[in-house]
Amino acid sequence: MLAASHPAWATAAADKGALPATAQSSATVYLTSPNAAALAKRAAEVSDPNSPYYGQFYSDTLAKKLYLPSQQQVTDVVTWLTKAGLKVTSSTQHQVDVTGNAAQMKAAFGTQLNQYKVKNQLLHAPAGNLVIPASVASTVLGVTGLTSSTSTVKPDYVPVSDVTKATTKADKTGLATTPTCSTSWDQKKAVGAPYGYTASTYYDECSFQPSQLRQAYGITQSGLTGKGATIAIVDAYGSSTMLADANKYAVNHGDKPFAKGQYTEDVTPSQWNSLTACQGAAGWAPEEALDVEMSHGLAPGANVVYVGANSCNDNDLSAALANIVDNHLADIVSNSWSGLMYSNQAGDGESATSIAAYEQIFEQGAVEGVGFDFSAGDCGDNSPGAAATGVNCDPSTTKAQAGYPSSDPLVTDVGGTALAVSDKKGDYKFETDMGTLMSNLNAKGNGWNPLPGSFFFGGGGGTSDYFAQPYYQKGIVPSALSHTLMTGATSTTAQRVTPDVAMNGDLFTSVWVGFSDGNPYSEGGYGGTSVSSPEFTALQADAIQARGDRAFGFANPEIYDRAGTKDFHDVVNKTAVNGLPPLSAVFDNGLVNGSLNASLVAFGRDYGLVATPGFDNATGVGSPDEAYLNSFKK
């Protein structure tokens, strides 16, 4: 019997009877490591700079032999499922995916599927805990798919073009009537702007191009390009024109395109599914372009492989990650997506089985020297309060929470900042946390409404109520954070706190992104921790080159060993002046249908998260700089 495979919400009172025997469904049977304890131990040993085994990675062939089920064990699971009448759609040493009707599912899993009326939704779930044959019990980690669930995974980007609505006529203010921005922080004064938070207000910075980011974070000065390293990018689906778009983008911004063979793809369009529920391939195309272009832009010498998951569902995303480690496709993986741990959607959020399956992949990656970076999200603390006004929030959130997989202790969670540069070249001036308040121009054009503004966009992070504090955070993360849950409750045990690091991602310090995916090529500004994750992954590729092409694997222990040193900018919010935000700018998108598209933006005001001296829950240990890269040189 698989414990807890019957969900708590599937009560007798909510039971509406059996699902029709012919009703079609799908399921994923996750397989467990036969040496799970040894896998976890080895993953920690090779990742810790203070361990004698640090950096002594195994090949993918050896790792699979030692830690994954044998082919015979996989065959035994497949045989069990097919004998019940189910169709196997894919099978690996990590999981077996099947489809079939309710009667066949009952035959395979020992209990029928019933319908339940929950929160005015008709959901389905096993009528009791699942029962599997004793002959395969030691191979099965768990089963998902038999219980109704809705994926909360989404790409963590927002285009600048979606920022605000036109609210006033152009002749009622002195602001520019064409899109206007500053080439550096406080470079262009917003003459004619109504009074906001400060006596003088400037236009927000123009979208950055890769050369400016390389300058700001010391990549140019280090002379590193990521040569010899390989970056993998995982998103859902795949663009039909990615290589051509990335090359056009690079040339447009003064960089070299990919060399022949430097960019590759692993996508299977014939197996794409759940397109409506997952925003479709078109919804993920900007994310893929952003990730590829930022990776190449900040590590122009690195190889890049795009691995497209067949949907945004956990079984497909984990399969894409497993493909990377099983075949050692890369040294480091950027993932600009995350979901909620707790949701009022069908299924109530992330399942323990899915988490365990992801963690087995992360541990295998660590053993092989493959690291995983995830974006922290764009909704501050993900609370209902943040979701009420945030532009990239999930309204199904039930409480303040860190996302998943970004909060997992076995990955590097990359938060966001707002980057200020001192000149057009991109020289670093300062950073504050990625958290903005928005005020729109009022109908008369003589004021901002509301003032102070409402929360609009912010980097994710916070204290997990699910994961205990990992060893590498001890002594670095303040006790006040690790022992205080995001609900305000006190935890008797120290808990995992995120993000780990941060880089530029604010929507109003955006980056240029270009793509076509079957349409005319165009470029626009994009923001989000979707920007931050590939930025950091690319910078890590540069660091791998500095290390003599030695991969980091799971990088967090190395990162936390350097916390509080000159290797990281300590990102700290500016002190409020008379209770008002000290950093603000005017976003001016020019005339839209005869009206001015303008807003006042306050920076460094994340929702529920604050950038303070030292480690904090908005920016982690801070943002890396040239000293970080140079420290790895021989």
Side-chain angles (χ1 to χ4, degrees):
M1 182 178 291
L2 296 181
S5 52
H6 171 74
W9 50 259
T11 63
D15 195 340
K16 298 301 178 183
L19 198 66
T22 57
Q24 293 292 309
S25 60
S26 60
T28 297
V29 178
Y30 288 105
L31 310 183
T32 191
S33 169
N35 300 299
L39 173 60
K41 182 175 182 289
R42 185 68 185 182
E45 289 173 342
V46 299
S47 304
D48 185 355
N50 302 303
S51 164
Y53 301 101
Y54 178 63
Q56 296 181 24
F57 304 125
Y58 289 161
S59 69
D60 56 304
T61 301
L62 181 57
K64 287 185 290 185
K65 180 180 179 180
L66 292 175
Y67 303 121
L68 295 188
S70 67
Q71 288 299 333
Q72 183 58 56
Q73 289 174 302
V74 176
T75 299
D76 290 344
V77 171
V78 169
T79 299
W80 152 50
L81 295 168
T82 54
K83 279 186 176 180
L86 297 173
K87 178 183 178 181
V88 173
T89 57
S90 68
S91 66
T92 68
Q93 289 171 276
H94 294 270
Q95 65 190 64
V96 179
D97 296 306
V98 295
T99 60
N101 61 41
Q104 293 164 334
M105 293 294 182
K106 179 181 178 181
F109 298 107
T111 185
Q112 71 181 19
L113 301 182
N114 280 10
Q115 299 180 95
Y116 298 87
K117 188 71 173 291
V118 182
K119 301 174 185 176
N120 294 319
Q121 301 179 80
L122 192 62
L123 310 178
H124 65 263
N129 281 331
L130 304 181
V131 180
I132 63 175
S135 59
V136 298
S138 63
T139 306
V140 175
L141 175 66
V143 180
T144 64
L146 298 178
T147 298
S148 291
S149 64
T150 301
S151 175
T152 62
V153 169
K154 59 180 177 58
D156 290 322
Y157 74 84
V158 172
V160 171
S161 59
D162 286 357
V163 168
T164 188
K165 298 178 180 179
T167 57
T168 186
K169 296 296 181 183
D171 59 359
K172 294 184 179 179
T173 176
L175 288 169
T177 57
T178 57
T180 303
C181 56
S182 296
T183 56
S184 60
W185 187 263
D186 283 359
Q187 177 265 330
K188 191 174 186 65
K189 196 170 186 178
V191 177
Y195 184 85
Y197 301 109
T198 54
S200 297
T201 307
Y202 294 78
Y203 290 106
D204 70 326
E205 291 175 303
C206 304
S207 296
F208 292 123
Q209 59 184 12
S211 62
Q212 293 171 296
L213 297 171
R214 294 197 300 267
Q215 181 72 21
Y217 289 111
I219 298 170
T220 298
Q221 300 89 319
S222 75
L224 298 168
T225 66
K227 185 177 181 180
T230 300
I231 295 168
I233 294 165
V234 173
D235 291 315
Y237 312 122
S239 167
S240 60
T241 54
M242 189 64 258
L243 178 58
D245 291 345
N247 285 341
K248 185 175 182 66
Y249 175 87
V251 172
N252 285 356
H253 294 279
D255 293 332
K256 293 181 179 179
F258 280 113
K260 185 177 181 180
Q262 190 183 1
Y263 172 82
T264 56
E265 295 180 347
D266 188 335
V267 293
T268 52
S270 63
Q271 298 176 39
W272 291 354
N273 63 86
S274 307
L275 279 91
T276 299
C278 293
Q279 304 180 39
W284 283 82
E287 182 62 73
E288 180 185 350
L290 191 166
D291 296 341
V292 172
E293 289 161 6
M294 286 301 101
S295 296
H296 184 56
L298 273 67
N303 293 325
V304 175
V305 53
Y306 175 76
V307 181
N310 291 325
S311 77
C312 69
N313 298 320
D314 283 321
N315 65 317
D316 285 325
L317 289 165
S318 64
L321 298 176
N323 179 27
I324 293 170
V325 297
D326 283 351
N327 299 288
H328 204 107
L329 299 181
D331 302 304
I332 189 165
V333 188
S334 180
N335 302 271
S336 290
W337 48 270
S338 195
L340 296 174
M341 285 287 292
Y342 310 104
S343 165
N344 63 19
Q345 297 269 26
D348 294 330
E350 199 69 40
S351 74
T353 296
S354 292
I355 292 172
Y358 275 120
E359 291 204 315
Q360 187 167 281
I361 296 168
F362 300 150
E363 287 175 340
Q364 182 185 342
V367 166
E368 294 180 20
V370 180
F372 297 88
D373 299 333
F374 279 85
S375 56
D378 303 337
C379 189
D381 66 5
N382 279 318
S383 65
T389 57
V391 69
N392 203 22
C393 294
D394 189 331
S396 74
T397 182
T398 58
K399 62 179 181 179
Q401 58 183 296
Y404 191 82
S406 56
S407 62
D408 196 290
L410 294 166
V411 307
T412 300
D413 188 11
V414 187
T417 69
L419 170 67
V421 297
S422 58
D423 51 42
K424 189 175 182 180
K425 184 180 178 182
D427 286 313
Y428 186 93
K429 187 177 180 70
F430 67 85
E431 285 171 284
T432 188
D433 73 27
M434 178 179 137
T436 51
L437 308 180
M438 168 87 72
S439 305
N440 285 324
L441 208 54
N442 67 22
K444 294 182 178 180
N446 60 3
W448 304 103
N449 183 45
L451 198 68
S454 301
F455 172 72
F456 189 70
F457 200 63
T463 305
S464 170
D465 64 1
Y466 190 91
F467 297 108
Q469 182 179 74
Y471 71 92
Y472 54 80
Q473 287 196 320
K474 293 178 180 178
I476 304 296
V477 175
S479 178
L481 288 179
S482 62
H483 285 272
T484 304
L485 302 180
M486 297 172 74
T487 58
T490 299
S491 172
T492 56
T493 59
Q495 298 296 111
R496 162 82 158 135
V497 183
T498 56
D500 298 304
V501 295
M503 289 184 73
N504 179 62
D506 198 282
L507 185 56
F508 299 96
T509 58
S510 61
V511 299
W512 286 110
V513 176
F515 67 99
S516 58
D517 192 30
N519 298 306
Y521 177 87
S522 63
E523 294 187 5
Y526 282 75
T529 52
S530 276
V531 176
S532 311
S533 179
E535 285 176 338
F536 184 70
T537 300
L539 189 137
Q540 287 290 83
D542 297 327
I544 289 172
Q545 179 191 10
R547 285 161 55 96
D549 297 339
R550 290 186 300 113
F552 287 98
F554 177 45
N556 282 12
E558 180 82 56
I559 290 169
Y560 280 84
D561 264 9
R562 296 161 181 268
T565 71
K566 63 181 181 179
D567 290 354
F568 293 96
H569 301 288
D570 188 7
V571 181
V572 179
N573 285 356
K574 305 293 184 182
T575 303
V577 178
N578 297 322
L580 296 175
L583 299 174
S584 61
V586 171
F587 168 80
D588 188 343
N589 201 33
L591 291 177
V592 177
N593 297 324
S595 296
L596 189 64
N597 195 222
S599 300
L600 179 67
V601 178
F603 293 91
R605 291 297 178 264
D606 207 354
Y607 198 104
L609 309 173
V610 183
T612 58
F615 181 94
D616 59 67
N617 60 8
T619 63
V621 300
S623 67
D625 58 17
E626 182 186 358
Y628 177 79
L629 292 170
N630 288 339
S631 70
F632 295 111
K633 293 180 178 179
K634 292 182 178 180

